[in-house]
């Protein structure tokens, strides 16, 4: 099976309110890079967009009357959970689970302004 460049066999596809702002959040918190953006005929609404975080693709679009909001729980490994947690809060996320130490690493949970929950973990 040959996958398109930059794609994995399984990728989340999010349908978001304020999809234009989602990329700014992921760039600020996770250093995401936008790899594709297609707009609707109005020239401003995201029909389809893709970002990459550490080589992993997340696809997303703006909700419509036909395609309602569909968010996700996303688990992400980072180098520094404390620093990433702070970036997420500074970018408008709310705390779901405070920073704490678990047997699998330093971890926390935040909900971004678009309804997605990010489980942020740095391994020991």
């Amino acid at each position: 099976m040959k996958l398109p460049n930059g794609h994995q066999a399984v990728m989340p596809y999010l349908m978001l309110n304020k999809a234009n702002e989602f990329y700014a959040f992921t760039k600020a918190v996770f250093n995401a890079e936008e790899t594709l953006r297609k707009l609707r005929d109005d020239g401003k609404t995201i029909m389809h967009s893709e970002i990459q975080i550490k080589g992993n693709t997340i696809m997303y679009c703006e909700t419509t009357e036909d395609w309602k909001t569909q968010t996700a729980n996303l688990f992400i490994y980072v180098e520094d959970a404390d620093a990433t947690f702070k970036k997420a809060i500074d970018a408008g996320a709310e705390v779901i689970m405070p920073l704490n130490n678990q047997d699998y690493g330093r971890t926390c949970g935040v909900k971004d302004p678009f309804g997605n929950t990010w489980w942020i973990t740095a391994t020991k």
Side-chain angles (χ1 to χ4, degrees):
M1 170 173 65
K2 183 170 168 68
L3 297 173
N5 241 2
H7 285 191
Q8 299 77 51
V10 176
M11 295 176 289
Y13 199 114
L14 310 174
M15 296 174 187
L16 306 171
N17 286 318
K18 300 182 181 178
N20 279 317
E21 297 173 22
F22 178 71
Y23 171 57
F25 176 86
T26 58
K27 182 178 175 90
V29 178
F30 304 111
N31 201 29
E33 294 181 27
E34 186 174 63
T35 56
L36 179 67
R37 178 177 284 225
K38 293 184 179 183
L39 301 177
R40 296 202 176 277
D41 291 338
D42 65 9
K44 59 184 176 183
T45 304
I46 294 176
M47 181 170 61
H48 177 83
S49 190
E50 297 177 10
I51 58 169
Q52 283 207 348
I53 301 173
K54 297 181 183 186
N56 296 280
T57 301
I58 298 174
M59 298 177 172
Y60 64 99
C61 67
E62 181 69 35
T63 57
T64 68
E65 283 188 31
D66 295 328
W67 301 103
K68 304 299 182 204
T69 301
Q70 295 181 34
T71 60
N73 278 265
L74 301 157
F75 187 96
I76 184 167
Y77 284 111
V78 298
E79 291 293 324
D80 184 337
D82 293 71
T84 303
F85 175 77
K86 182 178 181 340
K87 287 179 190 177
I89 299 306
D90 290 348
E94 68 177 82
V95 178
I96 300 299
M97 183 179 78
L99 277 162
N100 65 86
N101 294 316
Q102 298 292 329
D103 58 350
Y104 55 87
R106 182 104 170 121
T107 191
C108 64
V110 299
K111 184 176 280 189
D112 71 25
F114 317 96
N116 303 293
T117 299
W118 296 84
W119 300 103
I120 300 166
T121 299
T123 60
K124 293 180 179 181

